[in-house]
Amino acid sequence: MNAVAATESGLKRAVWVAYGLNAGAMALSLIPAGGTVSFVIWIAAFIIVLVKRSEAAGTIFESHCSNLLSVSIISIVAEFVILISAVAMIAVVGLFAPILAMIAQLILFVWQLYRIVKGMLRINDAREYA
């Protein structure tokens, strides 16, 4: 196996691991006690992508790394906004605020799931994410 093929094989494996860790973290986030473990798994996937990002430049894996990073960053910002909004809304709408927060969480979850599954399907076909 030549060096280029070995590098691409390693990148493909790393991106698959990152997608798998993200999917696992999402599944664990559905369990009430799974939040902390889910966050640790998500951090591991984020670090893998950050480490492999420069190595992926110029390959089909670059768009997958960008996808994984954008999903991670947007998700963490959205989670923070949902949390702060829910706390702030309790004073205004009372007990209805957690329901609104759960609806926002569900929308975020569906968006994350779409991006992760789309990425997995495209990398399986050796295609760029975009």
Side-chain angles (χ1 to χ4, degrees):
M1 180 180 282
N2 65 24
V4 173
T7 300
E8 288 206 2
S9 175
L11 283 170
K12 184 175 184 177
R13 187 175 17 260
V15 172
W16 264 112
V17 167
Y19 276 125
L21 288 172
N22 271 290
M26 288 177 60
L28 279 172
S29 72
L30 297 174
I31 302 167
T36 303
V37 175
S38 174
F39 184 72
V40 170
I41 291 172
W42 171 80
I43 290 293
F46 188 75
I47 290 170
I48 289 170
V49 174
L50 281 178
V51 168
K52 292 294 187 176
R53 184 178 180 192
S54 62
E55 192 178 327
T59 68
I60 64 164
F61 306 107
E62 182 177 19
S63 64
H64 289 281
C65 288
S66 295
N67 172 52
L68 286 163
L69 289 174
S70 66
V71 166
S72 297
I73 293 168
I74 290 169
S75 296
I76 198 73
V77 169
E79 290 284 353
F80 182 73
V81 169
I82 290 168
L83 176 66
I84 297 301
S85 299
V87 170
M89 285 190 310
I90 287 175
V92 178
V93 293
L95 296 178
F96 190 60
I99 295 170
L100 293 175
M102 284 188 272
I103 292 169
Q105 289 260 331
L106 178 63
I107 292 168
L108 179 62
F109 183 84
V110 169
W111 176 78
Q112 290 171 323
L113 186 63
Y114 167 76
R115 298 283 300 249
I116 298 301
V117 170
K118 179 182 174 184
M120 288 176 149
L121 291 173
R122 290 198 178 241
I123 200 167
N124 192 49
D125 294 337
R127 294 172 47 201
E128 290 185 8
Y129 180 81

